[in-house]
Amino acid sequence: MSSYAAHIATVQARFDAALTATGFDSAFIYAGQPRVAFLDDNPAPFKVNPLFKYWIPVTDSPKSAIFYERGARPVVFLFQPRDFWHAAVKIAPAEWQEHVELVVVDSLEKVTRYLGDKLKATAFLGEHFAEPVASWPVRAHNPDALIDHLHFHRAIKTDWEVENLRVANDRAAKAHLAAKDAFFAGKSELEIHHAYLAAINFRESELPYNSIVGLNEHGAILHYDVYETSAPRESRSFLIDAGATYRGYCADITRTYSREQSGFFAELVEAVDNAQQALLGEIEPGVDYYQLHVSQHLKIAQILSDFEFVRGSAESIYEQGFSSAFFPHGLGHFIGLQVHDVGGFLRNDRGDQFDRDPRHPFLRLLRPVEEGQVFTIEPGLYVVDQLLEAHANAKELNWQRIDELRPYGGVRIEDSIVVGKAGNNENLTRDAFARLEN
Ligand code: GLY
Ligand code: MN
Ligand code: MN
């Protein structure tokens, strides 16, 4: 059996279980359609419903849909409008077509006619802001119980999903190397961004998220995506957090570079990189992701102490909340069909949630680590003045050292990890860079 055949069998089984548990006979999974800007007729880039691309690797076919009745063959309604304004979406022959009943339609009325009374009994999954879909008499729209059930089980990736994530990482790593070269060539943030896209023949809307391309102080702005159009007089440091997609699956990679190959900032980049790699060695089934987050905090706290940004032991720096001022975001998140993939707070498939810890409000993943999960590990250390304000009078903070770091922004290193048995994990990101270097 091919890996895709096994994947769609798994998706089907997961839908069977979710529909049974929540009392539905069928689901109608609408791909969605682009929204237009206010008082305008220009569409925003189309982002397909993740639950649609979970079934089939089709990401560019608005108004298409999948109808799945428990135990039956899925029906894919491929929307191919008769429209001389736009190029037709080309759907090449592909393996997924062997596993579904394919119905090509040129209007949504044909879908309702095909389904007849079955529409009234179905759970509609997707956006329904536009007619005629908005007025369809379905049994429920996006029922929480069904979505929670599906989201909980999506955390364990199939082999086919991991293959796609591998390719997404290959693409992103290739683009990262082009961006790195552009940084060392003294290019502007916008030029670096263009070099990234050109390296993999991407248009911007194909990226899984707005790339973060920050020179110097901009490295400290966690979601910086402004892109200066002229290069600074001196490019001291470069933080790039940028991904790629393949068959709808996402890569999410961060690297930080120092222009100088030695000295203070180069050493800090190396220290964070070492701390990230040390944490990778602690990942194994049964460990709580929350504990990994705390363990990474202690390692960052040790760096804060070693580099004399903060005085005290790693434990005291963590306990007093200082490490959260320098490392304010979560250790990472699930990744897959969505860059921040779903289900990180779910305790079970009935929708119960883990309690959030107010100490770590931005941590998106609280589940125990399990074989087959894929998540990012992305520690950082930055000078974020807004967060340091709360500690303005703390005698433990060494402002002279912090002022030295401020012109460099900060450091983040981010890889994606596939959890294997007993710590036998796959690092999708470092493996992708290694393949390019060979
Ligand atoms: N690129 C967003 C993140 O790392 O979560
Ligand atoms: Mn991330
Ligand atoms: Mn990222």
Side-chain angles (χ1 to χ4, degrees):
M1 190 191 271
S2 72
S3 60
Y4 176 73
H7 169 77
I8 192 168
T10 299
V11 173
Q12 193 157 344
R14 288 179 181 174
F15 267 78
D16 286 340
L19 290 167
T20 303
T22 56
F24 290 97
D25 292 330
S26 69
F28 183 91
I29 305 130
Y30 187 51
Q33 59 193 84
R35 287 179 183 271
V36 290
F38 180 56
L39 298 181
D40 198 4
D41 58 0
N42 271 299
F46 174 62
K47 278 225 172 203
V48 68
N49 176 354
L51 289 170
F52 180 92
K53 61 178 175 169
Y54 192 27
W55 284 89
I56 59 173
V58 174
T59 56
D60 55 359
S61 186
K63 299 190 182 177
S64 291
I66 299 166
F67 180 70
Y68 180 65
E69 233 177 336
R70 217 166 50 206
R73 197 172 167 82
V75 182
V76 173
F77 296 103
L78 204 57
F79 191 78
Q80 303 262 278
R82 282 179 56 78
D83 171 358
F84 55 83
W85 295 99
H86 302 100
V89 177
K90 289 194 204 86
I91 303 287
E95 189 189 352
W96 64 263
Q97 292 149 18
E98 297 163 19
H99 297 271
V100 302
E101 187 182 331
L102 189 60
V103 181
V104 177
V105 293
D106 58 10
S107 78
L108 289 168
E109 284 66 32
K110 290 198 173 144
V111 174
T112 47
R113 226 175 298 143
Y114 185 102
L115 292 177
D117 279 347
K118 288 182 177 173
L119 196 64
K120 290 199 196 96
T122 203
F124 182 102
L125 298 175
E127 286 196 299
H128 48 93
F129 58 85
E131 295 296 353
V133 173
S135 301
W136 282 358
V138 296
R139 185 175 144 203
H141 286 110
N142 301 316
D144 287 341
L146 179 59
I147 288 184
D148 284 344
H149 201 292
L150 293 168
H151 280 186
F152 180 79
H153 293 286
R154 257 175 62 188
I156 306 298
K157 273 31 183 189
T158 65
D159 290 346
W160 186 76
E161 293 185 292
V162 173
E163 288 165 24
N164 294 336
L165 289 165
R166 231 173 253 138
V167 179
N169 273 269
D170 282 339
R171 288 178 166 188
K174 184 176 176 197
H176 266 258
L177 294 184
K180 175 185 171 186
D181 288 346
F183 161 64
F184 282 108
K187 303 290 187 187
S188 72
E189 290 168 347
L190 187 62
E191 286 168 327
I192 296 171
H193 175 58
H194 287 158
Y196 186 98
L197 293 170
I200 48 174
N201 276 328
F202 263 44
R203 57 195 293 174
E204 202 166 30
S205 57
E206 288 173 278
L207 295 173
Y209 55 92
N210 285 346
S211 297
I212 296 159
V213 179
L215 294 171
N216 302 339
E217 293 86 345
H218 295 159
I221 302 171
L222 299 178
H223 283 167
Y224 177 81
D225 59 3
V226 173
Y227 313 150
E228 296 281 355
T229 54
S230 52
R233 222 162 358 97
E234 178 191 46
S235 289
R236 295 174 290 274
S237 59
F238 175 41
L239 187 153
I240 174 163
D241 180 343
T245 45
Y246 179 67
R247 290 182 177 156
Y249 286 82
C250 304
D252 177 8
I253 301 178
T254 310
R255 289 293 182 265
T256 309
Y257 303 100
S258 168
R259 169 167 298 279
E260 301 297 336
Q261 294 311 293
S262 60
F264 158 66
F265 189 68
E267 285 167 24
L268 185 65
V269 173
E270 196 186 341
V272 175
D273 192 63
N274 289 340
Q276 191 253 17
Q277 293 199 56
L279 197 279
L280 297 178
E282 298 173 14
I283 300 170
E284 59 176 341
V287 170
D288 267 335
Y289 194 87
Y290 178 88
Q291 288 309 325
L292 294 174
H293 176 80
V294 172
S295 174
Q296 187 76 87
H297 256 272
L298 288 166
K299 293 179 194 354
I300 293 293
Q302 188 62 54
I303 295 172
L304 291 171
S305 175
D306 293 344
F307 281 74
E308 298 173 4
F309 296 119
V310 187
R311 300 179 189 93
S313 68
E315 286 73 18
S316 70
I317 290 171
Y318 172 69
E319 289 306 335
Q320 292 179 86
F322 297 135
S323 58
S324 293
F326 291 89
F327 172 25
H329 53 77
L331 175 62
H333 48 84
F334 283 145
I335 185 164
L337 288 163
Q338 292 163 259
V339 68
H340 293 156
D341 216 9
V342 292
F345 299 120
L346 288 171
R347 194 183 275 280
N348 54 41
D349 61 17
R350 296 181 302 284
D352 296 323
Q353 304 246 338
F354 284 98
D355 294 332
R356 319 278 169 101
D357 180 351
R359 240 192 111 162
H360 298 290
F362 302 115
L363 182 57
R364 299 168 188 270
L365 181 43
L366 296 175
R367 279 167 69 164
V369 171
E370 280 181 70
E371 188 182 346
Q373 290 175 345
V374 183
F375 48 65
T376 67
I377 296 291
E378 48 180 305
L381 193 168
Y382 325 81
V383 178
V384 183
D385 285 314
Q386 240 184 74
L387 297 174
L388 292 172
E389 273 169 17
H391 306 294
N393 300 318
K395 58 186 184 325
E396 291 86 348
L397 265 64
N398 181 349
W399 291 103
Q400 193 184 326
R401 288 295 275 168
I402 293 168
D403 290 344
E404 278 174 56
L405 176 56
R406 188 176 289 101
Y408 297 91
V411 183
R412 178 163 68 257
I413 308 287
E414 176 175 26
D415 294 340
S416 291
I417 307 300
V418 186
V419 180
K421 274 194 189 26
N424 190 13
N425 308 321
E426 176 177 349
N427 187 322
L428 292 169
T429 309
R430 289 190 195 250
D431 288 358
F433 280 114
R435 277 193 286 277
L436 287 169
E437 279 151 17
N438 286 332

